[in-house]
Each structure stands twice: as C-alpha cells, then as structure tokens.
Amino acid sequence: MDNASGKPPANAEGRELDEDRDEEGEGEAPFEEDGRADQALDFTIDVLAAMGMDCTVDLLENEPDDPPEEIRLEIEGREAVRIIGKKGQTLAALQFLANRVINRPGKRRRHVIIDAEGYRARREDTLTTMAQRLGKQAVEEGKIITFEPMTPQDRRVVHLALAKFPGVVTKSDGEGDSRRVQIIPVRR
C-alpha cells in the first residue's frame, strides 16, 4: 500500500494487486499490460492501410522465454513481402516507428518486434549459416574475413553464431551505417 489512498494498487482492469506475490523478482514491479500492445497493433495497421497494402497484422502471444515487455506483431498476406524491403530495411523502419510511438518518457520501455511472413527467422538462419561457413574459411586460410555493412540486429546474429566457434573471434569495426563484422582467426 504505497499510494496515498491507503488502498492496494490496482492493475489495468482495476483489480487489486496481490502485493505478496512478486513473480518478477526483487526490486521490479510485476509486468502489467498497459494497452501499448494494442496501440502498436493499431499504428501498424494504420501505416499499412495508408500504404495501400493488402495485409493483416496479428498480435502474437509471447513465448514462455520471451520477456513480458515484448510486443510481437506478424504481418501476413499477399503483399506482406513488400513491407520487408531490401534486406529488411522497410520492416526495420516500421518497427523503429512503432517503438517510437509507444515508448514515451516516464513509461517502462516496451520493445516492439515486427515480422513479415517469417522473414526475421529466415534471415537469422541465413546469417548463422553464412557466418559459420566464413568462420571455417577464416580458420582454414588464416585470413581475416570482413562482412559487408550490417544492421545492429544482423551483426548481433553473426557475433552469437560465432561466439563458441573454435578458432575465431569476431569484432565490429567502423562507424554508423558502415559498421561491419570481422571474423578473425585465432593463432594456436
């Protein structure tokens, strides 16, 4: 009972919260749905409609291992592939805008992840396979291999794919949009 009224705090539906239950751990309040998932969904639907795209947008349930703050949206339909853009740039821009719309100062940060027809999973698999192939090549040839410039999300996938790969280390090099991942063979 931390509020001035002396009543236990209430959740978004107006029901009192059980202060004895703290499933999120010490120091952080349990996650409460705050309507921003619907706000992100509505924003995405409105943008796609303004673009004249024939698509549907679904708000997905989070997986058990996903943070509860994540908002996952999936775009499907005949024209969904158009929203991906070159190397996911249009999809990333839409995701960036959705994050800006729902995250205002003074509110707990929520992360919107927008996918279209499973693009992100396919991209991650492709990058992981390529990183491992190039990691093997770097070890065999003893040469540093440098990727083309990548988004922060793509660089992260490459770093994670090679984190436990024997004989190489990875390093990001460059500034801004020119940042690239280098695969560096380790001398034995």
Side-chain angles (χ1 to χ4, degrees):
M1 289 187 230
D2 294 328
N3 60 14
S5 70
K7 292 181 181 177
N11 66 12
E13 290 83 33
R15 292 190 300 252
E16 293 178 357
L17 293 175
D18 184 354
E19 290 183 325
D20 296 329
R21 283 186 10 191
D22 186 7
E23 297 171 7
E24 299 295 315
E26 295 294 320
E28 195 172 305
F31 174 76
E32 292 180 32
E33 182 51 56
D34 55 7
R36 289 191 280 169
D38 290 331
Q39 186 182 5
L41 177 64
D42 292 343
F43 171 78
T44 304
I45 290 169
D46 291 347
V47 169
L48 294 175
M51 293 173 69
M53 302 200 51
D54 183 20
C55 300
T56 60
V57 184
D58 295 319
L59 176 60
L60 304 178
E61 293 263 335
N62 283 1
E63 298 292 324
D65 57 335
D66 290 339
E69 305 81 33
E70 273 189 2
I71 299 168
R72 295 185 164 280
L73 302 176
E74 177 72 28
I75 301 170
E76 296 175 326
R78 286 183 323 133
E79 298 182 301
V81 294
R82 285 184 45 214
I83 197 64
I84 296 169
K86 183 179 180 184
K87 294 187 182 177
Q89 289 177 330
T90 309
L91 189 61
L94 179 60
Q95 180 174 299
F96 173 80
L97 290 173
N99 275 289
R100 292 294 297 215
V101 165
I102 69 152
N103 287 303
R104 296 288 179 211
K107 290 188 176 182
R108 186 175 179 178
R109 182 146 168 55
R110 306 266 325 255
H111 186 64
V112 179
I113 299 170
I114 302 176
D115 197 0
E117 297 287 339
Y119 168 78
R120 291 197 187 279
R122 288 192 314 273
R123 176 80 174 151
E124 190 171 315
D125 289 344
T126 300
L127 284 171
T128 298
T129 302
M130 180 173 34
Q132 291 173 341
R133 181 176 43 81
L134 291 174
K136 183 178 177 185
Q137 180 182 338
V139 169
E140 290 171 355
E141 295 177 4
K143 294 181 181 176
I144 295 174
I145 295 179
T146 304
F147 281 85
E148 63 188 46
M150 295 179 157
T151 65
Q153 188 170 355
D154 286 352
R155 287 195 310 271
R156 182 177 185 276
V157 169
V158 172
H159 286 301
L160 290 174
L162 295 174
K164 295 182 179 171
F165 196 88
V168 299
V169 294
T170 59
K171 174 184 157 192
S172 287
D173 191 38
E175 297 291 325
D177 292 340
S178 299
R179 204 150 166 82
R180 323 165 169 255
V181 175
Q182 290 184 322
I183 303 173
I184 305 164
V186 178
R187 295 185 186 165
R188 296 177 195 169

